[in-house]
Amino acid sequence: MRPHPSDEYEARTMTLEAFADTIIPGDKRGPDDVAIAGAGDGPGAVQAGAVELLETPATGISHDLDVLVHDLNEHALAYADQHDLTLGDAVPPFAALPFADRTALVAALTAPGHPEKEVWVLLALFSNMAYDTGAHMHTVDAIAAGHPGLAALGITLPDPDGLWRFPDYSYGRRLAATHPDTDASGSLG
């Protein structure tokens, strides 16, 4: 019997979430959460919107996600076979791997010399990007929604005019004088 399309999408999402959670782990969303291993404290890449970012056409890989998920699950099956792990059929193979094994598999897939390294590094970079920047959202909207990565970085809302100003220098001192041709917008005139 062929799975219902929504079952396929759910399995795809679970696999992508498990991958993103391997890159930036977070808290489980509930006791039955399989995709998120619970290896992190606080929200991780999944809660930051990694799957939403991966599904954004601007990434250039959204149309390949089904193939990537298939390949990742095939790698998980091969890994499980090599390490005498029993995964069961209830969840996709990559999501079924214990967190330490997910991490080991991702390390192998992204290692120098792996023939598919570039695609797995790209998937990892998008997982990081979702957490570090909320790239799938407008920054002001992400901050207002309490985006976990931006909150962890301490990014605050802009001033009422929509501009961010940083009156305190990050190194505790001014690094350079403003160029004399800088206009009020911060651009060189």
Side-chain angles (χ1 to χ4, degrees):
M1 183 169 135
R2 196 164 157 81
H4 187 274
S6 63
D7 293 340
E8 290 174 7
Y9 184 77
E10 185 177 321
R12 171 185 185 250
T13 299
M14 188 181 297
T15 302
L16 292 171
E17 287 180 344
F19 185 91
D21 181 65
T22 305
I23 303 304
I24 300 181
D27 286 334
K28 285 183 170 284
R29 294 167 286 197
D32 297 329
D33 195 347
V34 176
I36 298 177
D41 292 326
V46 174
Q47 294 92 335
V51 174
E52 291 88 345
L53 177 59
L54 288 168
E55 291 177 339
T56 302
T59 63
I61 65 167
S62 61
H63 61 282
D64 294 324
L65 290 178
D66 290 336
V67 173
L68 294 175
V69 165
H70 173 270
D71 291 352
L72 183 58
N73 283 318
E74 289 296 314
H75 284 297
L77 288 170
Y79 178 93
D81 187 50
Q82 291 169 351
H83 294 87
D84 295 321
L85 299 172
T86 303
L87 301 180
D89 296 327
V91 296
F94 186 79
L97 287 172
F99 184 76
D101 293 303
R102 290 180 190 177
T103 302
L105 177 54
V106 170
L109 293 174
T110 58
H114 191 282
E116 301 168 15
K117 174 187 171 191
E118 289 80 11
V119 71
W120 303 117
V121 167
L122 187 62
L123 213 59
L125 287 172
F126 282 125
S127 297
N128 273 305
M129 187 184 293
Y131 186 83
D132 291 344
T133 69
H136 57 293
M137 302 175 74
H138 187 286
T139 303
V140 173
D141 296 337
I143 294 167
H147 184 277
L150 297 177
L153 293 171
I155 307 295
T156 60
L157 288 169
D159 292 339
D161 63 0
L163 298 176
W164 274 273
R165 293 181 180 79
F166 304 94
D168 298 322
Y169 303 107
S170 63
Y171 291 97
R173 65 184 174 88
R174 187 177 196 163
L175 297 179
T178 302
H179 190 279
D181 294 333
T182 302
D183 63 23
S185 74
S187 299
L188 287 177

